[in-house]
Amino acid sequence: MMAKNRMLLMILISTIATIIAGCEKSADVASPNCADLDKITNPVQKAELLKTCPRGGAAFKPSDKKSW
């Protein structure tokens, strides 16, 4: 029984330590995401965002048909 309590205590302590270690202050810099691409009016910011977004806008572009 004592070993079981000690094991549960160690699990509890390690879980709390993991949660506390993961709580870091995030950056205060606002970063637009791909969903906001149509709302951005700054052309420099929009061009930079187009490089990182997979589709490049809200318009759906289907992929080419493949014949396997």
Side-chain angles (χ1 to χ4, degrees):
M1 189 62 117
M2 182 80 151
K4 190 175 183 179
N5 287 343
R6 184 174 285 176
M7 181 63 87
L8 288 175
L9 181 62
M10 292 300 288
I11 291 172
L12 180 65
I13 290 172
S14 62
T15 303
I16 291 172
T18 304
I19 291 172
I20 290 173
C23 295
E24 294 180 14
K25 188 175 180 180
S26 62
D28 293 334
V29 178
S31 62
N33 51 355
C34 295
D36 297 333
L37 187 61
D38 293 334
K39 298 174 188 171
I40 295 175
T41 57
N42 185 352
V44 175
Q45 190 178 18
K46 192 168 190 170
E48 193 67 33
L49 194 57
L50 280 171
K51 293 178 187 175
T52 59
C53 291
R55 291 200 179 175
F60 177 73
K61 298 175 188 172
S63 59
D64 298 331
K65 297 284 184 186
K66 303 216 187 268
S67 60
W68 298 93

